[in-house]
Amino acid sequence: MKVTYNWLKDFVDIKITAPQLADKLTMAGLEVVSLQEKEGDFVFEIEITSNRPDWLSLVGIAREVAALTGRKLKVPQAKSAKYTAGSMQPLAIQVEDKKDCPLYTARIIKDVKVAPSPVWLKKRLELVGCRSVNNIVDITNYVLFELGEPLHAFDLAKLNPEGVIIRRAKNSEKLLTIDGENRQLNSNILVIADREKPIALAGVMGGKDTEVTTGTKDILLESAVFNPVIIRRARQALGIQSEASYRFERGVDLASVEKASLKAARSIQELAGGNQVGYQVKGVTKAQAKNIGLEISKVKKIQ
Amino acid sequence: MDIEAIYLEIEADIQNVNSREALELFRLKYLGRKGAVAELTSIIPTLSKEERAAFGQKVNSLKNKLSEVVGEKEKLLNVQPETKIKVSCDLGMPGIAQELGQLHPLTQVLDEICAIFNRMGFSVVEGPEIETEYNNFTGLNIPLEHPSREAFDTFYLKDYAKLLLRSHTSPVQVRAMKERKPPLAIVVPGRVYRPDAVDASHSFMFHQVEGFLVDENIRFSDLKGVLGVFAKAVFGKDIKMRFRPHFFPFTEPSAEVDISCIICKGQGCSVCGKKGWLEILGAGLIHPQVFKQVGIDPKKYTGFAFGMGVERIAMLKYGINDIRLFFENDLRFLKQF
């Protein structure tokens, strides 16, 4: 995974140089495999081991940097998105099996202006290896990299407005994904569907027909958590790697789902305008905290 | 017919036989199906009982005589004309030496690694290259459908869902720990397979040496000590070593082990990617879950394990920059070791 020095600085005061930081990260288990100076910033490419999905975000790595350098982690609280009271409309979300999708949230924002992203946004995304598409798509990707929660924006006008269903695909169904491939689906694959048809491969890739384009006015912003094993199987069966599937397979923090949705909504309103007219949550929002016992005497015994 | 006359005739005829063709004609005349002997034999039944025995004996000795004469003549005709060869031999000239084979560089390095651990009390154990899914993965705390399996792409055997070509030598840990009781100090050399595209640093088949030690009170510091002795023995006394935290499903805590770059002595060069360090192996304390799988009590015993790529060690030791050289068997390469 790639992070930049300046982006990390949004979350922690770093008083050491980029090469010093690279060394500290490497010796903490976040092996920096390359460090490059680019456009006035430094790009760290870090190898993240499969046991640490909490490191798959800027904030996650900043948390580690804060601990390593004895500084405080600053994560600004996302302000709630602007909306006019009374204009919120209900949206039906139906989750067929909670085990496949423990939490699904959908936010509806109307009258956005899709346009190219501002230079700072494009630059940050490009430095971490992500192609800029338009302001809406770029914001969802930006939040993915920053908080580690994959988001997806649908063009609301292109799907049946009655609501979305998170269900297994039928064996006869097909979906044209945003990479232009026509995918043959089966019942092992989880999809987001409207009343009629699948509109996205859950946690893997969106559909071409409902993607946000320059003509898009209203969007449905998805933030969710999917079963890692289902995502892994779908990714293997279809042979698609994506930033989203990479994170869902390893495990996404339940608590980041609403944060990410809010942060993206706020950024969309700042960069593309629009009014929030609906927000719906389906599933569990709080993860059960696990206690991990550690005996100091045992640690000493193996030192 | 006068047998005596035939004898005389034979004497005369054989003198004139000078070729194999003539000898054949001679043989037919006397010993052929319509030859003299056959004719004499045919009259035996017409004789009286008294005459038969004596006449028969005569015919027999005539037949023997003929066989003898033909045989002798045949020998004479078969002798090749003597050719005269001038034999010259320089006894002072050195002989043509048979070129001696030698051990492959990988075998040499493998032997060296095993010898170093032998001296520290480790014994060598080997295991099969076709392994069970359980020994290669599940027994080593690598669950099915878990992202930790990503690091181990594997060749599965066609028609045998649970069999595969081992992707590391660690399954021998499972085998050895099930069969034997601690204390254990074992090194496992062997071939492993991964479906990697072949390039300068990857091969679908390569060699690993796995090592592990299990006893009461084994600590991480024991691992550091043992690997320190190993690194200095292979790469020289001045080498520095560092342990970087890492993740392996079968050890906790886990580390990757680097040595100071042998080319630039830690200054940073192209071989170490300007880092000054070279990764040589992975190691850690054996995960309690692995002990449980093989029936060793993790409350009583602790242990460490490590694994290294033999090609990697050999490439660093000899400054070889392409793994393919090991398997092309070009004599110009092999003769350098």
Side-chain angles (χ1 to χ4, degrees), chain A residues 23 26-34 47 49-51 228-229 232-233 235-236 241 249-250 298-303, chain B residues 144-150 217-222 242-247 252-253 256 275 279 285 299-300 302:
Chain A
D23 200 45
T26 296
M27 290 313 288
L30 295 102
E31 191 185 356
V32 177
V33 290
S34 85
E47 197 190 298
T49 51
S50 63
N51 61 329
V229 173
R232 182 182 156 86
R233 284 185 195 155
R235 192 262 299 157
Q236 282 181 332
Q241 271 282 18
E249 258 185 61
R250 283 162 177 75
K298 270 195 180 169
V299 175
K300 286 189 173 147
K301 218 184 136 192
I302 59 162
Q303 266 178 334
Chain B
L144 197 68
E145 302 200 282
H146 193 269
S148 56
R149 278 210 184 183
E150 284 316 271
N217 298 314
I218 297 300
R219 297 156 177 271
F220 203 90
S221 42
D222 295 316
R242 70 173 189 184
F243 285 66
R244 259 183 303 109
H246 197 71
F247 169 72
E252 184 63 39
E256 280 189 331
K275 292 192 198 95
E279 182 197 324
L285 294 185
K299 289 200 181 90
K300 189 175 179 195
T302 49

Short mmCIF file of all heavy atoms in Angstrom, two decimals, chain A residues 23 26-34 47 49-51 228-229 232-233 235-236 241 249-250 298-303, chain B residues 144-150 217-222 242-247 252-253 256 275 279 285 299-300 302:
data_model
loop_
_atom_site.label_atom_id
_atom_site.label_comp_id
_atom_site.label_asym_id
_atom_site.label_seq_id
_atom_site.Cartn_x
_atom_site.Cartn_y
_atom_site.Cartn_z
N ASP A 23 12.52 4.08 8.05
CA ASP A 23 13.26 3.14 8.86
C ASP A 23 12.46 2.70 10.09
O ASP A 23 12.40 1.53 10.44
CB ASP A 23 14.59 3.80 9.28
CG ASP A 23 15.61 2.77 9.70
OD1 ASP A 23 15.72 1.76 8.97
OD2 ASP A 23 16.24 2.97 10.75
N THR A 26 9.64 0.38 9.02
CA THR A 26 10.18 -0.95 8.66
C THR A 26 10.47 -1.76 9.92
O THR A 26 10.12 -2.94 10.01
CB THR A 26 11.46 -0.79 7.83
OG1 THR A 26 11.11 -0.16 6.59
CG2 THR A 26 12.09 -2.13 7.53
N MET A 27 11.07 -1.11 10.91
CA MET A 27 11.44 -1.84 12.11
C MET A 27 10.23 -2.10 13.04
O MET A 27 10.36 -2.78 14.05
CB MET A 27 12.54 -1.09 12.88
CG MET A 27 13.87 -1.11 12.15
SD MET A 27 14.35 -2.75 11.53
CE MET A 27 14.77 -3.58 13.06
N ALA A 28 9.07 -1.54 12.67
CA ALA A 28 7.85 -1.82 13.44
C ALA A 28 6.98 -2.87 12.76
O ALA A 28 5.87 -3.15 13.19
CB ALA A 28 7.06 -0.53 13.64
N GLY A 29 7.47 -3.41 11.64
CA GLY A 29 6.71 -4.44 10.94
C GLY A 29 5.95 -3.94 9.73
O GLY A 29 5.27 -4.71 9.07
N LEU A 30 6.03 -2.62 9.45
CA LEU A 30 5.43 -2.09 8.23
C LEU A 30 6.58 -1.87 7.26
O LEU A 30 7.14 -0.78 7.16
CB LEU A 30 4.72 -0.75 8.48
CG LEU A 30 3.51 -0.75 9.41
CD1 LEU A 30 3.90 -0.21 10.77
CD2 LEU A 30 2.41 0.12 8.82
N GLU A 31 6.96 -2.93 6.56
CA GLU A 31 8.16 -2.85 5.74
C GLU A 31 8.00 -1.88 4.58
O GLU A 31 7.15 -2.06 3.70
CB GLU A 31 8.52 -4.24 5.21
CG GLU A 31 9.90 -4.23 4.58
CD GLU A 31 10.27 -5.55 3.91
OE1 GLU A 31 9.47 -6.50 3.99
OE2 GLU A 31 11.35 -5.59 3.30
N VAL A 32 8.82 -0.83 4.59
CA VAL A 32 8.80 0.14 3.49
C VAL A 32 9.66 -0.43 2.38
O VAL A 32 10.88 -0.51 2.50
CB VAL A 32 9.32 1.52 3.95
CG1 VAL A 32 9.36 2.49 2.78
CG2 VAL A 32 8.43 2.06 5.07
N VAL A 33 9.02 -0.86 1.29
CA VAL A 33 9.78 -1.50 0.22
C VAL A 33 10.33 -0.48 -0.77
O VAL A 33 11.27 -0.76 -1.49
CB VAL A 33 8.97 -2.59 -0.52
CG1 VAL A 33 8.77 -3.79 0.39
CG2 VAL A 33 7.62 -2.07 -1.00
N SER A 34 9.71 0.72 -0.81
CA SER A 34 10.33 1.79 -1.60
C SER A 34 9.91 3.14 -1.07
O SER A 34 8.81 3.30 -0.53
CB SER A 34 9.99 1.64 -3.09
OG SER A 34 8.74 2.24 -3.37
N GLU A 47 4.62 -2.75 2.62
CA GLU A 47 4.07 -4.11 2.54
C GLU A 47 3.31 -4.39 3.83
O GLU A 47 3.89 -4.40 4.91
CB GLU A 47 5.23 -5.09 2.37
CG GLU A 47 4.79 -6.44 1.86
CD GLU A 47 5.93 -7.46 1.93
OE1 GLU A 47 6.95 -7.23 1.26
OE2 GLU A 47 5.77 -8.44 2.67
N THR A 49 1.25 -6.87 6.16
CA THR A 49 1.03 -8.30 6.36
C THR A 49 -0.46 -8.57 6.56
O THR A 49 -1.21 -7.70 7.01
CB THR A 49 1.83 -8.81 7.58
OG1 THR A 49 1.57 -7.96 8.70
CG2 THR A 49 3.32 -8.76 7.28
N SER A 50 -0.87 -9.81 6.24
CA SER A 50 -2.31 -10.11 6.18
C SER A 50 -2.99 -10.10 7.55
O SER A 50 -4.21 -10.13 7.63
CB SER A 50 -2.52 -11.47 5.50
OG SER A 50 -1.92 -12.49 6.27
N ASN A 51 -2.21 -10.04 8.64
CA ASN A 51 -2.83 -10.02 9.97
C ASN A 51 -3.17 -8.60 10.42
O ASN A 51 -3.70 -8.42 11.51
CB ASN A 51 -1.87 -10.64 11.00
CG ASN A 51 -0.55 -9.89 11.11
OD1 ASN A 51 -0.08 -9.33 10.13
ND2 ASN A 51 0.03 -9.87 12.28
N PRO A 228 -15.90 -11.44 4.65
CA PRO A 228 -14.60 -11.58 3.97
C PRO A 228 -14.50 -12.82 3.08
O PRO A 228 -13.93 -12.75 1.99
CB PRO A 228 -13.60 -11.68 5.13
CG PRO A 228 -14.28 -11.07 6.29
CD PRO A 228 -15.74 -11.31 6.11
N VAL A 229 -15.07 -13.95 3.53
CA VAL A 229 -14.94 -15.19 2.76
C VAL A 229 -15.72 -15.11 1.45
O VAL A 229 -15.26 -15.55 0.40
CB VAL A 229 -15.38 -16.41 3.61
CG1 VAL A 229 -15.41 -17.68 2.78
CG2 VAL A 229 -14.44 -16.58 4.81
N ARG A 232 -13.80 -12.95 -0.91
CA ARG A 232 -12.62 -13.68 -1.39
C ARG A 232 -12.99 -14.68 -2.49
O ARG A 232 -12.33 -14.75 -3.52
CB ARG A 232 -11.98 -14.40 -0.20
CG ARG A 232 -10.72 -15.17 -0.52
CD ARG A 232 -10.22 -15.87 0.72
NE ARG A 232 -9.40 -17.01 0.38
CZ ARG A 232 -8.10 -16.96 0.12
NH1 ARG A 232 -7.48 -15.82 0.18
NH2 ARG A 232 -7.42 -18.03 -0.20
N ARG A 233 -14.09 -15.40 -2.26
CA ARG A 233 -14.52 -16.38 -3.26
C ARG A 233 -14.91 -15.72 -4.57
O ARG A 233 -14.56 -16.19 -5.64
CB ARG A 233 -15.72 -17.18 -2.73
CG ARG A 233 -15.32 -18.23 -1.72
CD ARG A 233 -16.54 -19.07 -1.35
NE ARG A 233 -16.27 -19.82 -0.14
CZ ARG A 233 -17.22 -20.25 0.69
NH1 ARG A 233 -18.49 -19.97 0.43
NH2 ARG A 233 -16.90 -20.92 1.76
N ARG A 235 -13.94 -12.81 -5.68
CA ARG A 235 -12.74 -12.25 -6.31
C ARG A 235 -11.96 -13.35 -7.03
O ARG A 235 -11.47 -13.17 -8.14
CB ARG A 235 -11.90 -11.57 -5.22
CG ARG A 235 -10.77 -10.71 -5.72
CD ARG A 235 -9.45 -11.41 -5.70
NE ARG A 235 -9.04 -11.82 -4.38
CZ ARG A 235 -8.17 -12.80 -4.15
NH1 ARG A 235 -7.65 -13.47 -5.16
NH2 ARG A 235 -7.83 -13.13 -2.92
N GLN A 236 -11.87 -14.52 -6.38
CA GLN A 236 -11.14 -15.63 -7.00
C GLN A 236 -11.90 -16.18 -8.21
O GLN A 236 -11.30 -16.44 -9.25
CB GLN A 236 -10.92 -16.75 -5.98
CG GLN A 236 -9.78 -16.43 -5.03
CD GLN A 236 -9.53 -17.53 -4.02
OE1 GLN A 236 -10.45 -18.28 -3.67
NE2 GLN A 236 -8.31 -17.64 -3.54
N GLN A 241 -9.15 -8.09 -8.97
CA GLN A 241 -8.53 -7.53 -7.79
C GLN A 241 -8.97 -6.07 -7.72
O GLN A 241 -8.91 -5.37 -8.72
CB GLN A 241 -7.01 -7.56 -7.90
CG GLN A 241 -6.36 -8.83 -7.40
CD GLN A 241 -6.25 -8.91 -5.89
OE1 GLN A 241 -6.94 -8.20 -5.16
NE2 GLN A 241 -5.40 -9.80 -5.42
N GLU A 249 -11.74 -8.43 2.11
CA GLU A 249 -11.24 -9.78 2.37
C GLU A 249 -10.50 -9.88 3.67
O GLU A 249 -10.47 -10.92 4.32
CB GLU A 249 -10.23 -10.14 1.28
CG GLU A 249 -10.75 -11.02 0.21
CD GLU A 249 -9.63 -11.41 -0.73
OE1 GLU A 249 -8.67 -12.04 -0.27
OE2 GLU A 249 -9.73 -11.07 -1.91
N ARG A 250 -9.80 -8.81 4.02
CA ARG A 250 -8.97 -8.82 5.22
C ARG A 250 -9.72 -8.36 6.46
O ARG A 250 -9.31 -8.60 7.58
CB ARG A 250 -7.73 -7.97 4.98
CG ARG A 250 -6.73 -8.71 4.13
CD ARG A 250 -5.70 -7.80 3.50
NE ARG A 250 -4.73 -8.57 2.74
CZ ARG A 250 -4.96 -9.13 1.56
NH1 ARG A 250 -6.14 -8.96 0.99
NH2 ARG A 250 -4.05 -9.84 0.95
N LYS A 298 4.36 -14.84 31.07
CA LYS A 298 4.57 -15.68 29.88
C LYS A 298 5.43 -14.96 28.85
O LYS A 298 6.25 -15.57 28.17
CB LYS A 298 3.22 -16.03 29.24
CG LYS A 298 2.63 -17.30 29.77
CD LYS A 298 1.53 -17.76 28.85
CE LYS A 298 0.91 -19.05 29.38
NZ LYS A 298 -0.33 -19.36 28.64
N VAL A 299 5.22 -13.65 28.75
CA VAL A 299 6.04 -12.86 27.82
C VAL A 299 7.50 -12.93 28.25
O VAL A 299 8.40 -13.15 27.44
CB VAL A 299 5.56 -11.39 27.78
CG1 VAL A 299 6.49 -10.56 26.90
CG2 VAL A 299 4.12 -11.31 27.27
N LYS A 300 7.71 -12.79 29.56
CA LYS A 300 9.09 -12.83 30.07
C LYS A 300 9.74 -14.19 29.84
O LYS A 300 10.94 -14.30 29.64
CB LYS A 300 9.10 -12.49 31.57
CG LYS A 300 8.86 -11.00 31.78
CD LYS A 300 9.07 -10.60 33.22
CE LYS A 300 8.98 -9.08 33.36
NZ LYS A 300 8.42 -8.68 34.64
N LYS A 301 8.89 -15.23 29.86
CA LYS A 301 9.41 -16.58 29.71
C LYS A 301 9.94 -16.85 28.29
O LYS A 301 10.76 -17.76 28.11
CB LYS A 301 8.27 -17.57 30.00
CG LYS A 301 8.73 -18.80 30.76
CD LYS A 301 7.59 -19.79 30.92
CE LYS A 301 8.10 -21.19 30.63
NZ LYS A 301 7.04 -22.17 30.49
N ILE A 302 9.45 -16.10 27.33
CA ILE A 302 9.91 -16.38 25.96
C ILE A 302 10.82 -15.29 25.40
O ILE A 302 11.17 -15.31 24.24
CB ILE A 302 8.72 -16.59 24.98
CG1 ILE A 302 7.81 -15.37 24.95
CG2 ILE A 302 7.94 -17.84 25.36
CD1 ILE A 302 6.89 -15.32 23.75
N GLN A 303 11.20 -14.32 26.24
CA GLN A 303 12.04 -13.23 25.73
C GLN A 303 13.43 -13.69 25.34
O GLN A 303 13.98 -14.57 25.97
CB GLN A 303 12.17 -12.14 26.78
CG GLN A 303 11.13 -11.04 26.60
CD GLN A 303 11.22 -10.00 27.67
OE1 GLN A 303 11.68 -10.23 28.77
NE2 GLN A 303 10.76 -8.81 27.34
N LEU B 144 -8.24 -22.46 5.81
CA LEU B 144 -8.81 -22.40 4.47
C LEU B 144 -9.50 -21.05 4.29
O LEU B 144 -10.06 -20.51 5.23
CB LEU B 144 -9.83 -23.54 4.33
CG LEU B 144 -10.27 -23.93 2.93
CD1 LEU B 144 -9.13 -24.57 2.18
CD2 LEU B 144 -11.43 -24.91 3.03
N GLU B 145 -9.47 -20.50 3.11
CA GLU B 145 -10.16 -19.25 2.78
C GLU B 145 -9.75 -18.09 3.68
O GLU B 145 -10.56 -17.27 4.07
CB GLU B 145 -11.68 -19.44 2.82
CG GLU B 145 -12.12 -20.54 1.88
CD GLU B 145 -13.57 -20.48 1.51
OE1 GLU B 145 -14.41 -20.90 2.33
OE2 GLU B 145 -13.87 -20.01 0.41
N HIS B 146 -8.48 -18.06 4.02
CA HIS B 146 -7.97 -16.98 4.85
C HIS B 146 -6.93 -16.20 4.03
O HIS B 146 -6.17 -16.81 3.28
CB HIS B 146 -7.32 -17.56 6.11
CG HIS B 146 -7.03 -16.54 7.16
ND1 HIS B 146 -5.83 -15.89 7.22
CD2 HIS B 146 -7.79 -16.04 8.17
CE1 HIS B 146 -5.86 -15.02 8.23
NE2 HIS B 146 -7.05 -15.10 8.82
N PRO B 147 -6.88 -14.86 4.19
CA PRO B 147 -5.93 -14.09 3.39
C PRO B 147 -4.47 -14.51 3.59
O PRO B 147 -3.64 -14.29 2.72
CB PRO B 147 -6.12 -12.66 3.89
CG PRO B 147 -7.49 -12.62 4.45
CD PRO B 147 -7.75 -13.99 4.98
N SER B 148 -4.17 -15.17 4.72
CA SER B 148 -2.78 -15.58 4.94
C SER B 148 -2.35 -16.65 3.94
O SER B 148 -1.17 -16.91 3.76
CB SER B 148 -2.58 -16.08 6.36
OG SER B 148 -3.47 -17.12 6.66
N ARG B 149 -3.32 -17.29 3.28
CA ARG B 149 -2.96 -18.29 2.26
C ARG B 149 -2.45 -17.64 0.98
O ARG B 149 -1.79 -18.29 0.17
CB ARG B 149 -4.15 -19.16 1.90
CG ARG B 149 -4.34 -20.26 2.88
CD ARG B 149 -4.96 -21.48 2.28
NE ARG B 149 -5.18 -22.43 3.36
CZ ARG B 149 -5.66 -23.63 3.20
NH1 ARG B 149 -5.98 -24.05 2.02
NH2 ARG B 149 -5.82 -24.42 4.23
N GLU B 150 -2.78 -16.35 0.82
CA GLU B 150 -2.36 -15.63 -0.38
C GLU B 150 -0.86 -15.75 -0.63
O GLU B 150 -0.40 -15.80 -1.75
CB GLU B 150 -2.69 -14.14 -0.28
CG GLU B 150 -4.13 -13.73 -0.47
CD GLU B 150 -4.86 -14.38 -1.62
OE1 GLU B 150 -4.80 -13.84 -2.72
OE2 GLU B 150 -5.51 -15.43 -1.40
N ASN B 217 11.44 -24.01 28.04
CA ASN B 217 12.21 -22.76 28.19
C ASN B 217 12.99 -22.32 26.96
O ASN B 217 14.08 -21.77 27.08
CB ASN B 217 13.19 -22.85 29.37
CG ASN B 217 12.44 -23.06 30.67
OD1 ASN B 217 11.44 -22.37 30.92
ND2 ASN B 217 12.88 -24.01 31.47
N ILE B 218 12.47 -22.56 25.79
CA ILE B 218 13.12 -22.00 24.60
C ILE B 218 12.60 -20.58 24.41
O ILE B 218 11.41 -20.32 24.49
CB ILE B 218 12.82 -22.86 23.36
CG1 ILE B 218 13.38 -24.27 23.52
CG2 ILE B 218 13.38 -22.20 22.09
CD1 ILE B 218 14.89 -24.33 23.73
N ARG B 219 13.53 -19.65 24.19
CA ARG B 219 13.18 -18.24 24.12
C ARG B 219 13.56 -17.65 22.76
O ARG B 219 14.33 -18.24 22.02
CB ARG B 219 13.96 -17.46 25.18
CG ARG B 219 13.64 -17.85 26.58
CD ARG B 219 14.79 -17.52 27.51
NE ARG B 219 14.41 -17.86 28.87
CZ ARG B 219 13.79 -17.00 29.69
NH1 ARG B 219 13.53 -15.78 29.29
NH2 ARG B 219 13.46 -17.37 30.90
N PHE B 220 13.04 -16.44 22.55
CA PHE B 220 13.38 -15.73 21.32
C PHE B 220 14.89 -15.49 21.25
O PHE B 220 15.49 -15.52 20.18
CB PHE B 220 12.62 -14.40 21.24
CG PHE B 220 12.47 -13.88 19.85
CD1 PHE B 220 11.36 -14.23 19.09
CD2 PHE B 220 13.42 -13.06 19.28
CE1 PHE B 220 11.21 -13.77 17.78
CE2 PHE B 220 13.29 -12.60 17.98
CZ PHE B 220 12.18 -12.95 17.23
N SER B 221 15.50 -15.26 22.43
CA SER B 221 16.94 -15.00 22.45
C SER B 221 17.74 -16.24 22.00
O SER B 221 18.83 -16.10 21.44
CB SER B 221 17.39 -14.53 23.83
OG SER B 221 16.76 -15.29 24.83
N ASP B 222 17.18 -17.43 22.20
CA ASP B 222 17.85 -18.65 21.70
C ASP B 222 17.87 -18.63 20.17
O ASP B 222 18.86 -18.99 19.54
CB ASP B 222 17.11 -19.91 22.17
CG ASP B 222 17.18 -20.07 23.68
OD1 ASP B 222 18.27 -19.87 24.24
OD2 ASP B 222 16.14 -20.39 24.29
N ARG B 242 19.78 -8.12 11.84
CA ARG B 242 18.67 -7.47 12.54
C ARG B 242 17.38 -8.25 12.34
O ARG B 242 17.20 -8.93 11.32
CB ARG B 242 18.50 -6.01 12.09
CG ARG B 242 17.96 -5.86 10.69
CD ARG B 242 17.64 -4.40 10.36
NE ARG B 242 16.94 -4.33 9.08
CZ ARG B 242 16.59 -3.19 8.48
NH1 ARG B 242 16.91 -2.02 9.02
NH2 ARG B 242 15.93 -3.21 7.33
N PHE B 243 16.49 -8.16 13.32
CA PHE B 243 15.20 -8.82 13.26
C PHE B 243 14.11 -7.78 13.07
O PHE B 243 14.02 -6.85 13.86
CB PHE B 243 14.93 -9.60 14.56
CG PHE B 243 15.71 -10.87 14.66
CD1 PHE B 243 17.09 -10.85 14.76
CD2 PHE B 243 15.06 -12.09 14.66
CE1 PHE B 243 17.82 -12.02 14.85
CE2 PHE B 243 15.78 -13.27 14.76
CZ PHE B 243 17.15 -13.25 14.85
N ARG B 244 13.32 -7.94 12.01
CA ARG B 244 12.21 -7.02 11.74
C ARG B 244 10.90 -7.73 12.06
O ARG B 244 10.71 -8.87 11.60
CB ARG B 244 12.18 -6.68 10.25
CG ARG B 244 12.77 -5.36 9.88
CD ARG B 244 12.61 -5.11 8.39
NE ARG B 244 13.20 -6.13 7.55
CZ ARG B 244 12.49 -6.99 6.83
NH1 ARG B 244 11.17 -6.96 6.84
NH2 ARG B 244 13.09 -7.88 6.08
N PRO B 245 9.98 -7.10 12.80
CA PRO B 245 8.69 -7.77 13.06
C PRO B 245 8.00 -8.11 11.74
O PRO B 245 8.05 -7.33 10.80
CB PRO B 245 7.87 -6.72 13.81
CG PRO B 245 8.84 -5.70 14.27
CD PRO B 245 10.01 -5.74 13.35
N HIS B 246 7.40 -9.28 11.68
CA HIS B 246 6.70 -9.69 10.47
C HIS B 246 5.53 -10.56 10.88
O HIS B 246 5.23 -10.67 12.06
CB HIS B 246 7.68 -10.43 9.54
CG HIS B 246 7.18 -10.53 8.14
ND1 HIS B 246 7.13 -9.45 7.29
CD2 HIS B 246 6.72 -11.59 7.42
CE1 HIS B 246 6.65 -9.83 6.11
NE2 HIS B 246 6.38 -11.12 6.18
N PHE B 247 4.87 -11.16 9.90
CA PHE B 247 3.76 -12.05 10.22
C PHE B 247 3.90 -13.36 9.46
O PHE B 247 4.06 -13.37 8.25
CB PHE B 247 2.42 -11.41 9.86
CG PHE B 247 1.26 -12.37 9.91
CD1 PHE B 247 0.79 -12.83 11.12
CD2 PHE B 247 0.66 -12.83 8.75
CE1 PHE B 247 -0.27 -13.73 11.18
CE2 PHE B 247 -0.39 -13.74 8.80
CZ PHE B 247 -0.85 -14.18 10.02
N GLU B 252 4.61 -16.94 16.36
CA GLU B 252 4.19 -15.72 17.04
C GLU B 252 5.08 -15.50 18.27
O GLU B 252 5.12 -16.36 19.14
CB GLU B 252 2.72 -15.82 17.47
CG GLU B 252 2.17 -14.56 18.09
CD GLU B 252 2.15 -13.37 17.14
OE1 GLU B 252 1.85 -13.55 15.95
OE2 GLU B 252 2.48 -12.26 17.59
N PRO B 253 5.84 -14.44 18.39
CA PRO B 253 6.00 -13.40 17.37
C PRO B 253 6.82 -13.92 16.18
O PRO B 253 7.54 -14.90 16.31
CB PRO B 253 6.77 -12.31 18.12
CG PRO B 253 7.49 -13.03 19.21
CD PRO B 253 6.62 -14.17 19.59
N GLU B 256 11.35 -11.16 10.20
CA GLU B 256 12.20 -11.40 9.05
C GLU B 256 13.60 -10.99 9.47
O GLU B 256 13.77 -10.02 10.20
CB GLU B 256 11.73 -10.61 7.83
CG GLU B 256 10.56 -11.30 7.15
CD GLU B 256 10.16 -10.70 5.81
OE1 GLU B 256 10.36 -9.49 5.60
OE2 GLU B 256 9.63 -11.45 4.98
N LYS B 275 19.37 0.10 0.84
CA LYS B 275 18.89 -0.01 2.22
C LYS B 275 20.01 -0.38 3.19
O LYS B 275 19.92 -0.13 4.39
CB LYS B 275 17.78 -1.06 2.31
CG LYS B 275 16.50 -0.67 1.60
CD LYS B 275 15.37 -1.62 1.98
CE LYS B 275 14.24 -1.56 1.01
NZ LYS B 275 14.32 -2.58 -0.04
N GLU B 279 17.53 -9.20 3.21
CA GLU B 279 16.71 -10.19 3.92
C GLU B 279 17.23 -11.58 3.60
O GLU B 279 17.46 -11.92 2.45
CB GLU B 279 15.27 -10.04 3.43
CG GLU B 279 14.31 -10.96 4.11
CD GLU B 279 13.01 -11.09 3.34
OE1 GLU B 279 12.57 -10.07 2.75
OE2 GLU B 279 12.46 -12.19 3.30
N LEU B 285 8.77 -17.67 17.02
CA LEU B 285 8.48 -18.70 18.02
C LEU B 285 7.26 -19.48 17.54
O LEU B 285 6.26 -18.89 17.12
CB LEU B 285 8.21 -18.08 19.39
CG LEU B 285 9.41 -17.38 20.05
CD1 LEU B 285 9.05 -16.90 21.45
CD2 LEU B 285 10.64 -18.28 20.11
N LYS B 299 1.76 -25.25 26.99
CA LYS B 299 2.04 -24.68 28.31
C LYS B 299 3.40 -25.15 28.81
O LYS B 299 4.08 -24.47 29.56
CB LYS B 299 0.95 -25.10 29.30
CG LYS B 299 -0.38 -24.40 29.02
CD LYS B 299 -1.27 -24.44 30.26
CE LYS B 299 -2.60 -23.77 29.99
NZ LYS B 299 -3.60 -24.76 29.49
N LYS B 300 3.77 -26.35 28.39
CA LYS B 300 5.03 -26.92 28.86
C LYS B 300 6.20 -26.56 27.93
O LYS B 300 7.29 -26.23 28.38
CB LYS B 300 4.88 -28.44 28.95
CG LYS B 300 6.05 -29.12 29.64
CD LYS B 300 5.79 -30.61 29.81
CE LYS B 300 6.99 -31.28 30.48
NZ LYS B 300 6.94 -32.73 30.35
N THR B 302 8.05 -24.64 24.56
CA THR B 302 8.10 -23.55 23.59
C THR B 302 9.14 -23.93 22.55
O THR B 302 9.89 -24.89 22.74
CB THR B 302 8.48 -22.20 24.25
OG1 THR B 302 9.64 -22.39 25.07
CG2 THR B 302 7.34 -21.66 25.10
#
